[in-house]
Amino acid sequence: MNTFGTLFRLTTFGESHGPALGSIIDGCPAGVPLETARIQAALDRRRPGQSTITTARSEPDQVEILSGVFEGKTLGTPIAAIVRNTNQRSGDYDKLKAEDRPGHADAVWRERFKHRDHRGGGRTSGRETLCRVIGGTIAEAYLERQFPKVSTVAWVSQVGDLVSAVPELGLTRAQVDAHPTRCPDPVVREEMSRRILVAKEAGDSLGGSIDVRVEGLPVGLGEPIFGKIKALLAQALGSVGAVTGVVWGPPDLLERIAQPGLQFHARKDTYGGIQGGLTNGEPLFLRVYFKPPATLADHAKGGRHDPCIMPRAVPVLEAMVSLVLADLALQYNAWPHST
């Protein structure tokens, strides 16, 4: 399955070391303002080679829009966009034709499909996520027209055992991007950066979590039974390769669920912006857990890997959340509801 969404649909294609990767977005209404520069800015936040704590693979990730946009607005037809690969070192992966990396998808893909692209993981590479960022950026452009007050911001909330404080409402992406770790907490982010560099030099890796908060949502996005927004968000975020868990609700939810019901339900923020499978108008809050990257030891010491994936995964999670919200916004308009 390479397509995500019901009415607002994203299809991704391409491999890590192929000629290009790309996205096809179908279902985006006509007339949505969309400039190439907006998509490029989003890709720049995800691209490799941003700092010393990320992979040394350095690519500009220049986007080319092939269809669906004219005179700075969407046409309502399929939007196709590609990013050409320019800095492959496929020879580095020759021994992986017969050697499976621990923790990667190599062995299970070989067993399932009997044939795979071993170069950089092929289709299983995290490089595929650039396609999601393209789709998510277009989803955000549509959401801005539909719900002008909506703001989706993610940040790194944990690296190893270092946990940041939760920022106040109104946090901006510019504030998050002000530090290479994408952690807005000035107390812990320098130590996060130091530990990531230590892990990189040692051929080791670190996991942790990313928090996502959406402000300005209307009441009623989602469908009450199988289309609950929490279920759709779990599917969207769980489809990101290194994600190992998703929790809806405030950061201290795991402590709150130990409380008696009278205490638990006394605070509205307990629900994380979701009730009955629908948005309730409160800020939507998610915590997404990541395992340490599986490229380790000798495979890692060449420098072309992320010792900690979370800083570059921030725009990817924002994109997946925006794709869900855009799809639900279209469903809200198309399916019966009170007016």
Side-chain angles (χ1 to χ4, degrees):
M1 176 56 69
N2 297 289
T3 300
F4 179 80
T6 301
L7 298 181
F8 193 105
R9 297 180 298 277
L10 167 68
T11 299
T12 74
F13 61 89
E15 293 80 37
S16 177
H17 286 237
L21 295 100
S23 307
I24 299 173
I25 298 90
D26 200 7
C28 182
V32 175
L34 183 66
E35 298 290 343
T36 302
R38 177 172 186 159
I39 300 175
Q40 189 60 57
L43 287 171
D44 288 345
R45 297 179 69 222
R46 192 223 69 97
R47 71 175 178 83
Q50 294 181 41
S51 70
T52 57
I53 65 173
T54 65
T55 173
R57 178 172 178 169
S58 180
E59 300 209 42
D61 285 354
Q62 292 292 319
V63 66
E64 302 173 41
I65 298 178
L66 305 181
S67 67
V69 180
F70 180 66
E71 295 182 340
K73 294 183 180 180
T74 60
L75 289 169
T77 55
I79 301 169
I82 63 169
V83 169
R84 300 182 190 275
N85 290 321
T86 60
N87 190 24
Q88 307 100 312
R89 280 176 17 193
S90 301
D92 291 356
Y93 297 89
D94 284 347
K95 64 180 179 180
L96 297 183
K97 291 179 181 179
E99 177 185 332
D100 296 328
R101 297 166 295 174
H104 287 268
D106 301 348
V108 292
W109 269 59
R110 177 183 288 107
E111 180 65 24
R112 168 71 189 276
F113 299 110
K114 313 304 180 188
H115 180 64
R116 67 184 182 91
D117 183 350
H118 66 278
R119 303 167 302 170
R123 184 81 175 132
T124 69
S125 169
R127 189 153 173 75
E128 181 269 343
T129 60
L130 72 84
C131 308
R132 301 166 185 242
V133 172
I134 293 172
T137 305
I138 297 170
E140 285 184 0
Y142 163 66
L143 286 168
E144 282 182 6
R145 190 181 73 169
Q146 190 73 10
F147 305 119
K149 295 182 179 180
V150 169
S151 171
T152 302
V153 178
W155 64 92
V156 174
S157 55
Q158 181 176 349
V159 172
D161 62 356
L162 292 170
V163 181
S164 73
V166 178
E168 298 293 328
L169 293 175
L171 181 72
T172 67
R173 291 182 181 177
Q175 290 173 309
V176 172
D177 291 350
H179 194 269
T181 60
R182 290 210 162 98
C183 175
D185 185 345
V187 176
V188 300
R189 62 191 184 189
E190 294 301 331
E191 179 61 14
M192 284 181 175
S193 183
R194 189 191 71 80
R195 292 194 190 182
I196 293 171
L197 286 172
V198 169
K200 184 176 182 180
E201 290 299 318
D204 208 346
S205 63
L206 294 168
S209 66
I210 291 175
D211 290 353
V212 187
R213 187 163 59 202
V214 187
E215 300 176 43
L217 285 170
V219 175
L221 286 186
E223 298 299 322
I225 310 302
F226 297 114
K228 289 181 172 66
I229 188 171
K230 67 177 183 178
L232 298 174
L233 288 168
Q235 179 193 7
L237 298 169
S239 71
V240 177
V243 169
T244 57
V246 180
V247 175
W248 315 270
D252 62 345
L253 180 66
L254 298 182
E255 288 74 33
R256 291 195 200 187
I257 60 174
Q259 301 170 347
L262 288 173
Q263 188 176 354
F264 180 87
H265 293 287
R267 297 172 59 180
K268 194 171 184 180
D269 69 340
T270 290
Y271 310 121
I274 302 171
Q275 287 179 266
L278 310 176
T279 55
N280 65 4
E282 295 291 313
L284 179 70
F285 193 95
L286 302 153
R287 176 156 287 179
V288 185
Y289 292 94
F290 284 74
K291 66 182 179 181
T295 302
L296 301 167
D298 291 339
H299 289 306
K301 289 182 180 179
R304 290 168 64 89
H305 83 298
D306 285 280
C308 179
I309 197 65
M310 281 92 70
R312 289 181 58 219
V314 162
V316 177
L317 297 197
E318 292 169 345
M320 295 309 298
V321 170
S322 294
L323 285 165
V324 170
L325 294 176
D327 198 19
L328 289 178
L330 286 174
Q331 293 176 37
Y332 183 88
N333 292 332
W335 295 350
H337 62 275
S338 177
T339 59

